[in-house]
């Protein structure tokens, strides 16, 4: 696999302890005003004219492998393209370095195979330290919790960055990346690919021309998760695979023993590593709403979900946000609007009448206007009006060449005039990602039992005091086990229980079961001896008679089985 450059197992300057990891990544995030001298050139963040960008990849798994094939030219076979309306064009740039913590994961190995000349690393800090002068741009596609640190560090070094969604794991991290992008003037893009497509442009053109009227209500939904959520925290400690650096995967989060419930693939379902279906898919399906309605920070939010677990994201969620009125557009008023999110199998209610040939999709959004309803599919694709009209409205947004989200970012890396014109540059993606992550917080704080009031600029809820206490998970009770335990306790509390060894216990069964009835319809008891297991059918509740062997009997009319 080439020469491994890892923070684990190497000696000398490449050996990094967990303590050093926390210290160095914290410093990278906090001290973002320090700019290495080698980053200063003709223009900060703009490399000398070159035909080809030298790109480094952090996170070479499923998403990262696809992203980099759309940015860099494969050295082996052309990559398949055409995702969400993007013209099928292979990548054009040069991949010079690949970093991933797991060298045994199949998609990572596939990335290695497609780019055999790229240097391989496990620790992105070592990669940037050794190859900083040979890298122009960095693509980050790690687990959610690990996106911000390499992206922030790369920007302080003057590198252009493309970061997968969600942009970050916390609201503060989103704010930080937004500021860094502005400070250093580098080209940026978040990986919500549909933002560069025709769908969002068409939706804005129709709405801003006044075709749907005022919008005061919006629904957004996703059929995800497609990974496990709602799980109990694993109690089994598994052996860490030899190909995986578990410490580097954990990063700055609290350490926990390895279990394959966390990695690979499943990280999105755990609060420490992901943000659940909402954090993942709202970046796609809510983006058209953000763009069309020119949304700023919401002022109120509330979240609901299936039972919360301590460490796992819930199976399904509903989040309602209230956005204040914004300045009106020339042909469209922008009043206060409620935006409601659904996932995990829930979606907006189906309209009374759908257009012929249309089905209520499993992914998308609906903007209910006073003149018409605007509906878009997954990633902002395939917009249509519920009335069936197709307005001829002028373009209001920049047309992305070939709708190609990736290569438009590449063009911005090479052309400073395009830095703030990509469809999801951090000046827009950062504040938008803050909105999404605030919704995630509302789900986790739902047990406060009140509508939360949000101050976006200061990044805080204004109606939560320092003295407020709240549980962020639900102690889920197994009702069946509780009832069984109560029944057993009641039986054992009776006088004379348990029966003496050898004492007969008669079980009066229901008609039709073992024992049944005599010819006159009277129930016929079944006799067993104490110590003999009773084989009652599920849900069966026979009456029990005790017999002390001397003709004395007592009747127990409580609906409990006679289990010893």
């Amino acid at each position: 696999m080439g020469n491994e450059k890892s923070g684990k197992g190497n000696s000398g300057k490449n050996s990094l302890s967990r303590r050093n990891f926390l210290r160095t990544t914290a410093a990278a995030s906090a001290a973002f005003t320090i700019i290495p001298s080698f980053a200063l050139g003709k223009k900060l963040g703009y490399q000398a004219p070159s035909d080809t960008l030298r790109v480094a990849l952090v996170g070479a798994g499923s998403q990262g492998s696809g992203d980099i094939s759309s940015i860099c030219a494969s050295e082996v076979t052309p990559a398949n393209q055409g995702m969400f309306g993007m013209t099928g064009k292979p990548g054009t740039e040069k991949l010079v370095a690949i970093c991933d913590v797991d060298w045994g994961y199949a998609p990572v190995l596939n990335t290695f195979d497609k780019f055999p000349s790229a240097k391989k690393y496990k620790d992105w800090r070592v990669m940037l330290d050794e190859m900083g002068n040979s890298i122009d741009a960095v693509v980050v596609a790690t687990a959610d919790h690990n996106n911000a640190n390499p992206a922030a560090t790369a920007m302080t070094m003057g590198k252009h960055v493309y970061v997968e969604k969600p942009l970050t794991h916390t609201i503060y991290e989103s704010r930080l990346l937004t500021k860094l992008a502005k400070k250093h003037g580098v080209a940026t893009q978040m990986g919500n690919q549909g933002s560069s497509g025709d769908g969002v442009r068409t939706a804005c053109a129709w709405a801003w021309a006044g075709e749907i009227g005022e919008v005061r209500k919006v629904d957004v939904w996703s059929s995800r998760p497609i990974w496990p959520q709602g799980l109990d925290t694993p109690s089994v400690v598994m052996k860490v695979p030899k190909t995986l650096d578990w410490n580097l995967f954990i990063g700055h989060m609290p350490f926990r023993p390895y279990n394959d419930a966390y990695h690979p693939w499943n990280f999105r379902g755990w609060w420490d590593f992901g943000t659940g279906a909402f954090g993942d898919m709202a970046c796609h399906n809510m983006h058209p709403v953000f763009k069309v309605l020119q949304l700023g920070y919401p002022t109120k939010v509330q979240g609901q979900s299936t039972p919360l677990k301590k460490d796992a994201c819930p199976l399904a969620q509903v989040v309602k946000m209230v956005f204040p009125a914004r300045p009106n557009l020339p042909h469209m008023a922008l009043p206060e609007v409620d935006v409601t999110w659904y996932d995990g199998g829930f979606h907006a209610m189906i309209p009374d009448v759908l257009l012929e040939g249309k089905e209520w999709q499993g992914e998308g959004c609906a903007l209910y206007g006073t003149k018409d309803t605007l509906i878009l599919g997954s990633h902002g694709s395939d917009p249509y009006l519920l009335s069936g009209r197709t307005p001829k409205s002028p373009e209001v947004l920049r047309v992305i060449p070939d709708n190609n989200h990736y290569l438009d970012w590449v063009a911005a890396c090479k052309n400073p005039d395009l830095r703030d014109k990509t469809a999801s540059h951090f000046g827009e993606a950062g504040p938008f990602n803050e909105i999404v992550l605030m919704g995630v917080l509302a789900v986790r704080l739902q047990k406060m039992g009140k509508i939360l009031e949000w101050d976006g600029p200061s990044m805080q809820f204004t109606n939560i005091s320092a003295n407020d206490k709240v549980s962020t998970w639900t102690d889920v009770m197994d009702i069946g086990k509780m009832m069984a335990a109560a029944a057993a306790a009641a039986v054992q509390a009776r006088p004379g229980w348990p029966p003496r060894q050898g004492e007969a216990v008669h079980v009066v069964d229901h008609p039709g079961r073992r024992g049944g009835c005599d010819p006159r319809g009277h129930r016929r008891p079944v006799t067993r001896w104490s110590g003999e297991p009773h084989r009652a059918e599920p849900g069966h509740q026979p009456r029990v008679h005790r017999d002390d062997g001397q003709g004395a009997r007592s009747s127990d009319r409580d609906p409990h089985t006679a289990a010893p």
Side-chain angles (χ1 to χ4, degrees):
M1 296 300 177
N3 296 323
E4 177 178 346
K5 305 291 185 181
S6 170
K8 180 180 180 181
N10 291 341
S11 60
K13 68 176 182 179
N14 289 343
S15 180
L16 291 163
S17 68
R18 177 172 171 77
R19 180 177 299 176
N20 287 335
F21 178 91
L22 296 175
R23 182 186 301 118
T24 55
T25 53
S29 295
F32 58 86
T33 57
I34 300 174
I35 308 172
S37 58
F38 61 79
L40 301 175
K42 291 183 178 179
K43 187 169 183 178
L44 185 62
Y46 182 56
Q47 302 293 329
S50 173
D51 291 336
T52 304
L53 284 178
R54 299 165 298 176
V55 181
L57 173 63
V58 181
S62 299
Q63 188 64 49
S65 181
D67 287 345
I68 205 63
S69 296
S70 298
I71 293 170
C72 295
S74 172
E75 300 173 24
V76 180
T77 54
N80 294 325
Q81 304 294 313
M83 187 179 189
F84 305 115
M86 288 182 289
T87 301
K89 281 190 174 182
T92 55
E93 310 310 301
K94 173 69 174 178
L95 184 61
V96 297
I98 303 172
C99 177
D100 199 280
V101 299
D102 190 350
W103 288 20
Y105 187 32
V108 175
L109 296 177
N110 182 51
T111 307
F112 288 168
D113 290 341
K114 287 188 293 185
F115 302 95
S117 68
K119 293 185 178 180
K120 280 76 175 177
Y121 293 85
K122 282 191 174 179
D123 191 324
W124 59 267
R125 297 163 302 172
V126 177
M127 178 185 74
L128 292 179
D129 182 51
E130 292 187 356
M131 296 191 64
N133 291 325
S134 303
I135 294 171
D136 303 317
V138 178
V139 175
V140 182
T142 68
D144 299 358
H145 71 296
N146 278 329
N147 276 352
N149 279 321
T153 304
M155 283 193 285
T156 63
M157 297 172 68
K159 313 303 178 187
H160 312 293
V161 294
Y162 179 106
V163 182
E164 260 307 326
K165 52 78 200 160
L167 184 65
T168 65
H169 194 227
T170 70
I171 292 172
Y172 171 78
E173 290 172 339
S174 292
R175 186 71 59 87
L176 173 64
L177 295 194
T178 302
K179 290 181 176 180
L180 286 173
K182 182 178 181 179
K183 180 179 182 66
H184 297 300
V186 293
T188 59
Q189 188 91 294
M190 182 172 77
N192 52 339
Q193 294 81 5
S195 62
S196 290
D198 287 332
V200 175
R201 290 199 301 275
T202 299
C204 288
W206 288 350
W208 296 358
E211 296 293 344
I212 65 174
E214 296 182 7
V215 177
R216 296 180 180 273
K217 176 185 175 183
V218 175
D219 288 327
V220 192
W221 63 95
S222 173
S223 58
R224 296 196 183 192
I226 55 176
W227 49 84
Q229 290 190 190
L231 301 179
D232 291 323
T233 304
S235 58
V236 176
V237 177
M238 294 184 175
K239 184 177 181 181
V240 179
K242 293 181 179 179
T243 57
L244 169 65
D245 192 318
W246 182 238
N247 281 332
L248 289 178
F249 176 86
I250 291 286
H252 57 281
M253 300 306 294
F255 184 82
R256 65 177 64 210
Y258 171 76
N259 188 288
D260 60 13
Y262 306 127
H263 171 85
W265 173 251
N266 297 329
F267 68 88
R268 291 197 191 279
W270 301 97
W271 291 127
D272 274 6
F273 311 130
T275 50
F278 183 37
D280 176 54
M281 287 304 294
C283 292
H284 289 306
N285 296 350
M286 192 180 286
H287 179 263
V289 181
F290 174 79
K291 195 71 176 178
V292 168
L293 298 183
Q294 299 288 282
L295 296 178
Y297 293 120
T299 54
K300 297 179 181 178
V301 63
Q302 55 182 308
Q304 298 179 4
S305 73
T306 51
L308 289 172
K309 298 297 181 74
K310 183 177 181 180
D311 292 318
C313 308
L315 288 170
Q317 305 164 102
V318 177
V319 178
K320 179 183 176 182
M321 301 180 182
V322 179
F323 293 84
R326 287 85 58 215
N328 292 338
L329 298 175
H331 303 289
M332 183 185 187
L334 299 174
E336 179 180 274
V337 59
D338 293 350
V339 178
T340 304
W341 168 269
Y342 309 85
D343 66 38
F346 295 103
H347 56 71
M349 294 298 174
I350 302 172
D352 293 336
V353 179
L354 283 173
L355 292 179
E356 184 177 353
K358 291 288 187 181
E359 295 182 354
W360 203 234
Q361 63 266 26
E363 304 273 347
C365 62
L367 295 82
Y368 307 99
T370 54
K371 296 181 180 179
D372 214 328
T373 296
L374 171 60
I375 301 170
L376 297 96
S378 182
H379 296 65
S381 62
D382 304 320
Y384 68 93
L385 297 178
L386 197 57
S387 66
R389 298 182 302 117
T390 306
K392 301 295 183 181
S393 303
E395 292 279 5
V396 291
L397 298 180
R398 171 177 171 259
V399 176
I400 308 300
D402 299 317
N403 296 334
N404 197 303
H405 195 64
Y406 299 105
L407 295 187
D408 195 48
W409 170 71
V410 169
C413 293
K414 299 178 180 181
N415 183 356
D417 293 336
L418 296 177
R419 298 284 161 83
D420 61 350
K421 295 180 175 62
T422 55
S424 198
H425 62 84
F426 290 0
E428 286 197 6
F432 173 52
N433 201 67
E434 288 186 33
I435 294 172
V436 173
L437 295 179
M438 190 272 290
V440 172
L441 284 180
V443 171
R444 302 194 70 181
L445 295 172
Q446 63 183 274
K447 289 192 157 300
M448 297 202 75
K450 60 183 176 182
I451 298 174
L452 299 175
E453 298 173 359
W454 181 246
D455 180 351
S458 64
M459 299 182 287
Q460 64 180 350
F461 291 109
T462 58
N463 61 338
I464 299 179
S465 72
N467 297 323
D468 285 334
K469 295 182 180 180
V470 62
S471 172
T472 54
W473 72 87
T474 304
D475 292 325
V476 180
M477 300 296 183
D478 188 320
I479 302 301
K481 290 182 179 179
M482 290 172 62
M483 293 178 66
V491 169
Q492 294 178 14
R494 297 190 197 101
W497 190 269
R500 296 180 295 277
Q501 187 70 27
E503 180 179 43
V505 179
H506 302 299
V507 180
V508 179
D509 216 327
H510 292 297
R513 294 200 175 103
R514 188 166 63 98
C517 298
D518 61 20
R520 293 175 293 178
H522 296 148
R523 291 181 176 177
R524 186 165 51 210
V526 176
T527 301
R528 67 182 178 86
W529 300 96
S530 63
E532 175 190 355
H534 176 112
R535 297 179 178 84
E537 295 181 20
H540 173 43
Q541 296 178 334
R543 289 186 300 150
V544 180
H545 296 277
R546 296 184 63 255
D547 190 334
D548 62 7
Q550 300 179 4
R553 305 180 72 184
S554 63
S555 177
D556 171 19
R557 297 187 181 276
D558 291 335
H560 300 297
T561 62

